[in-house]
Each structure stands twice: as structure tokens, then as C-alpha cells.
């Protein structure tokens, strides 16, 4: 993990659904420990598990559709916490107050799994970016699609397939960081 942070990964969303709470807490603790001494500041966000984010002292939580309201999560985690939300249409951003960011997906066909819904495309990303909430483009983001997503208004990109398919994720992370920092 440290090599990925040193290569430019500035957020890590820990998304582990198969383990028990103790295992997830151990993973988040390891991620937080790796993120703190990284060459550039890195944040650790816990997917759906507010309790684990609190226990580990993570930087925030990414809420699911069936989670506590974002304002409640922010109250428990503190005003500086990062509170995220997944969206699949621009209109969902207007109905979700108190969030720090939203993942909008899928912008392109996913690289890490079969497509479950049609890709939204860059025009929908542009529309979502006008809602005033920072939008992270997710779904099919690779070295070719990262810059167009930013140019369409995304505040950043959320990637899974590009890194999970690499034997050493620090290589693609470094290449992506170079593209995003232009």
C-alpha cells in the first residue's frame, strides 16, 4: 500500500465486504498506517462501515443507499471528515445534502467487473459536475479516460480495474498521477 501512496494515490476507499468486522478493522488500520507517512498526504475512506471508520480513525466514510444520513455520519466523525455517496444520475446529487463528494458511475464500461448498467458518458458527467458537489468519475477510468473525465468537470477519478489488474499497482498509479497533475 505504501508504494501506491508514494506513487500518487491520494485516497484509498477500503471496500471489503466478505470479512468480519475485526478483519476489516485490521485492514483499515494497516491502510491508515501506510497513508500517514506517504510522500504526499493520503486519505483512507471506509466503504459503508461508519463504525469501522470511527474505530480506526479513518478520514471518512463512503455511504451506501441504505446507510445513515450523511449529516449523521458527519456529526459522529467530525466536521473535517470526508463523507461520500455513490450516484448513478446527476439528479441524485441534488437530493444528498451534507456530502463531501459523490462517485458518479459508470462513466465508461467498468474494467473490474461486467457492466450492470449502461455507461453514462462524459455529457452526463458534465451535467453532474454543475451541481456544486465534487464528483469523482468512476467506471472504466484508465490512462486514456482520466484526462477527458477531468476536462468534463470531474474533481477526480475513482479507479479499481486499472490498479487491481496490475501486478504492481504503483506503476499505473504513478502514470495516472502524471496525467491528472498536468
Amino acid at each position: 500500500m505504501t508504494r501506491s501512496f508514494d506513487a500518487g494515490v491520494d485516497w484509498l476507499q477500503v471496500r471489503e465486504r466478505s470479512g468480519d468486522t475485526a478483519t476489516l478493522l485490521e485492514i483499515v488500520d494497516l491502510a491508515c498506517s501506510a497513508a500517514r507517512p506517504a510522500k504526499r498526504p493520503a486519505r483512507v475512506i471506509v466503504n459503508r462501515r461508519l463504525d469501522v471508520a470511527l474505530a480506526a480513525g479513518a478520514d471518512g466514510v463512503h455511504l451506501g443507499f441504505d446507510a445513515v444520513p450523511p449529516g449523521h455520519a458527519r456529526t459522529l466523525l467530525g466536521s473535517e471528515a470526508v463523507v461520500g455517496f455513490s450516484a448513478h444520475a446527476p439528479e441524485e446529487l441534488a437530493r444528498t445534502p451534507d456530502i463531501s463528494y459523490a462517485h458518479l458511475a459508470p462513466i465508461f464500461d467498468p474494467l473490474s467487473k461486467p457492466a450492470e448498467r449502461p455507461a453514462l458518458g462524459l455529457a452526463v458527467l458534465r451535467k453532474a459536475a454543475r451541481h456544486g458537489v465534487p464528483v469523482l468519475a468512476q467506471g472504466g477510468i484508465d490512462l486514456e479516460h482520466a484526462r477527458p473525465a477531468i476536462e468534463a468537470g470531474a474533481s477526480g477519478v475513482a479507479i479499481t480495474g486499472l490498479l487491481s489488474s496490475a501486478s504492481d499497482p504503483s506503476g499505473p498509479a504513478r502514470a495516472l498521477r502524471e496525467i491528472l497533475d498536468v
Side-chain angles (χ1 to χ4, degrees), residues 16 35 93 175:
E16 175 58 50
L93 302 180

Side-chain angles (χ1 to χ4, degrees), residues 16-171:
E16 175 58 50
R17 296 182 185 179
S18 60
D20 60 23
T21 299
T23 302
L24 178 59
L25 181 57
E26 185 177 325
I27 292 168
V28 175
D29 281 338
L30 287 171
C32 288
S33 293
R36 304 302 184 240
K39 291 178 184 175
R40 63 190 295 148
R43 292 181 169 174
V44 176
I45 311 300
V46 180
N47 191 62
R48 302 177 68 109
R49 293 293 304 269
L50 178 59
D51 59 334
V52 173
L54 279 165
D59 297 294
V61 65
H62 185 88
L63 301 173
F65 65 92
D66 57 352
V68 300
H72 184 69
R74 185 170 302 289
T75 298
L76 292 171
L77 290 170
S79 61
E80 299 298 314
V82 176
V83 178
F85 175 78
S86 293
H88 302 290
E91 298 77 28
E92 293 176 41
L93 302 180
R95 297 189 307 257
T96 312
D98 299 319
I99 59 172
S100 307
Y101 72 92
H103 280 187
L104 182 65
I107 303 304
F108 304 102
D109 287 334
L111 302 173
S112 62
K113 63 182 182 179
E116 296 173 3
R117 54 179 47 109
L120 299 170
L122 295 174
V124 172
L125 176 58
R126 274 188 209 90
K127 182 178 177 184
R130 291 193 285 260
H131 278 274
V133 173
V135 175
L136 302 179
Q138 185 176 21
I141 303 297
D142 57 14
L143 299 178
E144 177 186 344
H145 293 122
R147 173 63 29 209
I150 297 298
E151 290 170 352
S155 296
V157 295
I159 56 173
T160 303
L162 180 66
L163 298 184
S164 65
S165 64
S167 59
D168 178 6
S170 64

